[in-house]
Amino acid sequence: LQTRWKVPPEKVEKAMDQIEKYIMTRQYKYVFCPETTDDEKKDLAVQKRIRALHWVTPQMLCVPVNEEIPEVSDMVVKAITDIIEMDSKRVPRDKLACITKCSKHIFNAIKITKNEPASADDFLPTLIYIVLKGNPPRLQSNIQYITRFCNPSRLMTGEDGYYFTNLCCAVAFIEKLDAQSLNLSQEDFDRFMTGQTSPKKQESDSFSPDVCLGVKQMYKNLDLLSQLNERQERIVNEAKKLEEDLIDWTDGITKEVQDIVEKYPLDIKPKNQALAAIDSENVENDKLPPPLQPQVYAG
């Protein structure tokens, strides 16, 4: 188009977008997450990782977003919706557009919270939080699909490329996130990851008066569930210890009985021979006089 018909670059760009849309829509089921790659395995690993990090709070990530403000909460919901909607698109450009819309909602949420334009330092932590909260389906497959088939010029320049690069950074951060990244001790991080406990929620007194009762009750219920979970863990551990003690006690009694039997073996003697009756005919052996015979006397 550029060399033969001397078409202007902007028209070439539009033509390429249409060609991309036609080809990728027809070939989507063959080239998205193909069996020859490990995209599906990476998807499952990222999804499992994000589920394990469900306890991460905005404060831990230094996210400058106040979800108690209705407008900000609405922007957060829209950002999560956009990043999840990315999986339903077939054209790489459309998937990229979902990332861009999500990012713009994030910038608006930060701007409303801080009453000033958002910076790049504020954007990335908030994007990480949105990804953790939304857990988009087939995230790695979508990123790889865009990387492989999107118009390279779109990824290398412009706001689309900038937002896509930040999404890749956010996923990489989540995969390598550790205790130090959240300013936590390793012990607390391990307990949170295994579900033994969760970060302490805000008490009802710390809420602003504008927060609805439903949100306050939700946090109370979360605290109660956390306490119940800890109690259940203690009961299970104590039950296992009791079971081990009973097994040890049974083994100890069995060993003591075996030691006594070995030390004092039981000697079973044969049954004694029965004594003969006094009036039997075995007089010689019994050394008894013969029995008296009845005698008849004449009167």
Side-chain angles (χ1 to χ4, degrees):
L1 292 175
Q2 289 177 332
T3 57
R4 185 170 181 177
W5 289 292
K6 308 297 181 182
V7 179
E10 57 273 10
K11 291 188 176 181
V12 172
E13 195 74 19
K14 290 182 179 179
M16 291 296 295
D17 288 341
Q18 294 302 317
I19 294 172
E20 175 188 289
K21 181 178 181 179
Y22 176 78
I23 294 177
M24 301 316 300
T25 301
R26 299 290 297 271
Q27 299 296 321
Y28 182 77
K29 62 181 179 179
Y30 304 109
V31 296
F32 182 84
C33 190
E35 296 181 356
T36 55
T37 66
D38 59 349
D39 292 350
E40 184 177 2
K41 183 179 179 181
K42 292 180 179 178
D43 287 335
L44 295 175
V46 171
Q47 191 175 53
K48 183 178 179 181
R49 176 69 171 173
I50 293 176
R51 285 177 179 172
L53 293 168
H54 68 278
W55 49 267
V56 176
T57 63
Q59 292 76 18
M60 293 179 179
L61 295 170
C62 299
V63 175
V65 168
N66 185 5
E67 293 185 71
E68 295 178 5
I69 303 174
E71 294 85 352
V72 174
S73 178
D74 185 52
M75 290 295 175
V76 169
V77 172
K78 289 181 179 179
I80 293 173
T81 302
D82 289 332
I83 196 70
I84 292 176
E85 188 181 1
M86 174 178 62
D87 187 59
S88 65
K89 305 298 182 181
R90 293 195 169 195
V91 182
R93 184 186 56 167
D94 294 342
K95 290 182 181 291
L96 208 57
C98 290
I99 299 174
T100 300
K101 288 192 295 182
C102 168
S103 301
K104 288 184 176 180
H105 287 313
I106 291 174
F107 273 105
N108 289 333
I110 298 172
K111 182 179 180 180
I112 295 172
T113 301
K114 299 181 66 176
N115 290 322
E116 61 182 26
S119 64
D121 294 334
D122 295 331
F123 171 68
L124 183 56
T126 310
L127 178 60
I128 294 171
Y129 174 67
I130 293 297
V131 173
L132 288 175
K133 197 168 182 179
N135 197 0
R138 300 191 292 185
L139 184 55
Q140 280 288 1
S141 290
N142 281 288
I143 290 176
Q144 293 299 326
Y145 180 76
I146 293 172
T147 304
R148 291 167 185 154
F149 302 110
C150 189
N151 189 342
S153 63
R154 192 179 294 278
L155 289 181
M156 299 297 293
T157 59
E159 61 178 6
D160 290 343
Y162 172 76
Y163 295 140
F164 178 72
T165 301
N166 275 273
L167 177 62
C168 296
C169 293
V171 174
F173 177 85
I174 291 171
E175 291 175 337
K176 299 179 181 179
L177 189 145
D178 56 11
Q180 186 177 2
S181 304
L182 301 175
N183 295 321
L184 296 173
S185 66
Q186 189 62 45
E187 181 181 358
D188 288 341
F189 182 81
D190 293 338
R191 291 176 63 194
F192 294 154
M193 289 296 291
T194 56
Q196 295 179 5
T197 185
S198 61
K200 188 176 181 181
K201 303 297 181 183
Q202 289 178 298
E203 299 295 336
S204 58
D205 296 339
S206 63
F207 287 104
S208 66
D210 298 332
V211 179
C212 66
L213 294 176
V215 174
K216 295 180 180 179
Q217 187 62 43
M218 179 187 70
Y219 279 109
K220 287 182 179 179
N221 292 340
L222 289 173
D223 286 337
L224 181 59
L225 287 174
S226 178
Q227 295 172 12
L228 291 174
N229 185 52
E230 292 178 4
R231 289 178 59 186
Q232 183 180 11
E233 290 290 337
R234 287 197 300 269
I235 292 173
V236 171
N237 293 333
E238 290 175 1
K240 289 181 179 179
K241 186 177 183 304
L242 178 60
E243 182 181 8
E244 293 174 357
D245 292 342
L246 287 174
I247 293 174
D248 294 340
W249 179 80
T250 304
D251 294 341
I253 294 296
T254 303
K255 187 176 184 305
E256 289 181 8
V257 172
Q258 290 177 348
D259 293 341
I260 293 173
V261 170
E262 292 176 359
K263 188 174 182 180
Y264 305 103
L266 184 62
D267 186 14
I268 302 178
K269 296 182 179 180
K271 188 177 180 182
N272 292 334
Q273 210 169 14
L275 296 176
I278 293 179
D279 56 351
S280 68
E281 296 181 356
N282 193 7
V283 181
E284 182 179 356
N285 292 336
D286 291 341
K287 305 299 182 182
L288 295 174
L292 295 176
Q293 297 294 332
Q295 297 181 9
V296 179
Y297 293 93

